Amino acid sequence: MSRRRQYWVLHVDLDQFIAAVEVLRHPELAGRPLIVGGRGDPTERAVVSTASYEAREFGVGSGMPLRIAARKVPDAVILPVDAEAYTAASAEVMATLRAQPGATVQVLGWDEAFLGVRTNGPEAYARQVQRAVLDRTGLHCSVGIGDTLVRAKVATGFGKPRGVFRLTAENWLEVMGDRPTVDLWGVGSRISGRLATHGIVTVAELAAADPAVLAAEFGPKMGPWYGLLGRGEGARVVDDTPWVARGHSRETTFQRDLTEPAQVEEAVRELAARVLEDVAAEGRPVIGLTLKVRYAPFITKVFTKRIPETADPDVVMSRVLDLVGRIEPRRPIRLLGLRAEMPMPEGARDGHTPTRSGW
């Protein structure tokens, strides 16, 4: 009698996705340092969306100002962001994943997804996925294998590039225990810094942390949740329920700093109009607003406001302008962003990733 196949979570992550798509379109760029960001002009204010492995060797990374990246790699090819091309390539990849035998697919973004599969040979299945994606799209991917979504996601980092790696309860602490908490999915530098104030520096220390200490620091919901991350625990089943956005956001980086109140208000009104279009398409009201302000040279402030549930754009705009009043007058501004939060409909999937929505 055959042994019942075990359930596994596979995390598929495309290698240097945006750069790889550009190389497919421009084969002559293969092997060259490639940077994609903004409109492809390093004299403008923009950040790196992605960099090829060749550019990363010089210290270039996502989110770095484009001008600094260009300075680090003077002979790099710098291309503008082409979201339509990446969306089309991503759709092909996700269609390939959904075509895999017995797979449940949970999309995380352009370049990554979870697969839930029953198999007694997860590594062989992962290699099959890699071949299928490469054959159909010309793109390479890495695959993490785990018994939870968190472990599968973290495992992928050990498989890059083009590799496969397995992380389970059996080897989690052996592999991750001595690593800093910032290496965990969902723990950034700010959270790791707060953990360090309690003497929690490594993953093993977080795994063994007193739940009461975590709850006192991060709250009754988030505290225990960080403890789960330290142990690699959490959801074990891939959920392909369509993801519903909690909110919509837009932001603009200005090539010249805004200094006049009238300029700032006009810019915020334009952002709000675009966000309200996105929200209207959802057919849900607004229940919260977040205004992001980046003052020159690079100091970011975030202002939030809960508002009574409303679908009236005039009311929302009025509440947005209330937030504008919290901006320091005449202080030079290089970026503005606005996010509108909506209530979640019944039956919507909750917590599809360890990271919370928003900025």
Side-chain angles (χ1 to χ4, degrees):
M1 187 174 178
S2 61
R3 183 161 54 101
R4 187 172 185 272
R5 290 178 298 172
Q6 184 175 346
Y7 187 89
W8 291 97
V9 179
L10 274 58
H11 176 252
V12 178
D13 195 355
L14 293 158
D15 297 329
Q16 54 173 10
F17 171 61
I18 293 175
V21 171
E22 292 294 356
V23 170
L24 285 178
R25 303 165 79 194
H26 309 284
E28 70 277 8
L29 299 181
R32 297 185 60 183
L34 174 62
I35 298 169
V36 180
R39 295 190 292 188
D41 184 350
T43 66
E44 294 185 348
R45 285 179 175 173
V47 298
V48 175
S49 293
T50 196
S52 67
Y53 291 130
E54 292 80 6
R56 294 178 197 183
E57 291 179 2
F58 291 88
V60 176
S62 299
M64 176 181 290
L66 207 54
R67 59 182 173 78
I68 293 177
R71 198 179 304 151
K72 285 178 174 287
V73 199
D75 61 344
V77 176
I78 303 177
L79 296 177
V81 172
D82 186 347
E84 288 187 9
Y86 314 143
T87 299
S90 175
E92 283 290 297
V93 171
M94 300 309 162
T96 305
L97 298 183
R98 291 189 179 97
Q100 299 311 297
T104 300
V105 179
Q106 180 175 331
V107 177
L108 293 185
W110 263 346
D111 60 348
E112 59 179 326
F114 286 118
L115 273 67
V117 300
R118 287 197 175 277
T119 177
N120 289 328
E123 278 80 9
Y125 193 104
R127 293 296 183 189
Q128 172 187 312
V129 169
Q130 289 176 316
R131 287 192 298 271
V133 171
L134 181 61
D135 289 347
R136 180 163 173 176
T137 69
L139 298 169
H140 290 277
C141 62
S142 300
V143 182
I145 299 169
D147 49 1
T148 67
L149 274 65
V150 168
R151 292 187 187 122
K153 167 74 174 178
V154 175
T156 313
F158 294 97
K160 283 190 167 291
R162 306 184 185 184
V164 174
F165 194 87
R166 186 196 293 202
L167 262 181
T168 66
E170 293 181 358
N171 67 339
W172 172 257
L173 286 179
E174 176 188 341
V175 174
M176 293 296 297
D178 292 335
R179 291 180 172 269
T181 57
V182 74
D183 284 0
L184 289 169
W185 184 32
V187 176
S189 57
R190 184 175 60 86
I191 297 299
S192 66
R194 289 171 66 181
L195 288 168
T197 64
H198 296 279
I200 302 169
V201 177
T202 67
V203 172
E205 289 167 343
L206 178 56
D210 184 344
V213 171
L214 295 176
E217 177 65 33
F218 300 105
K221 182 178 179 181
M222 295 306 299
W225 183 77
Y226 286 122
L228 280 177
L229 285 186
R231 298 187 293 278
E233 294 292 348
R236 293 176 174 270
V237 177
V238 174
D239 182 356
D240 61 355
T241 304
W243 176 246
V244 178
R246 289 185 179 276
H248 285 288
S249 59
R250 298 276 187 161
E251 66 179 42
T252 301
T253 298
F254 305 102
Q255 297 306 313
R256 292 185 178 179
D257 295 341
L258 304 184
T259 55
E260 298 299 323
Q263 291 178 312
V264 175
E265 180 175 330
E266 181 183 1
V268 172
R269 283 183 178 274
E270 290 179 4
L271 277 175
R274 292 163 61 196
V275 170
L276 285 168
E277 285 182 7
D278 296 336
V279 169
E282 296 275 358
R284 285 181 282 156
V286 176
I287 59 172
L289 296 166
T290 302
L291 179 66
K292 179 164 73 172
V293 183
R294 181 163 295 150
Y295 299 109
F298 211 83
I299 300 167
T300 304
K301 299 290 184 180
V302 176
F303 307 110
T304 61
K305 184 180 186 67
R306 302 293 293 183
I307 67 173
E309 184 175 301
T310 179
D312 187 331
D314 292 335
V315 173
V316 175
M317 185 69 77
S318 173
R319 300 291 185 170
V320 169
L321 295 178
D322 288 345
L323 287 175
V324 173
R326 298 169 67 178
I327 296 175
E328 294 182 42
R330 302 192 183 281
R331 185 173 178 181
I333 294 172
R334 59 178 293 153
L335 176 147
L336 287 169
L338 181 69
R339 174 181 170 83
E341 186 178 341
M342 303 170 290
M344 296 295 283
E346 289 186 16
R349 172 161 27 107
D350 186 32
H352 73 314
T353 73
T355 53
R356 288 174 287 175
S357 61
W359 290 307

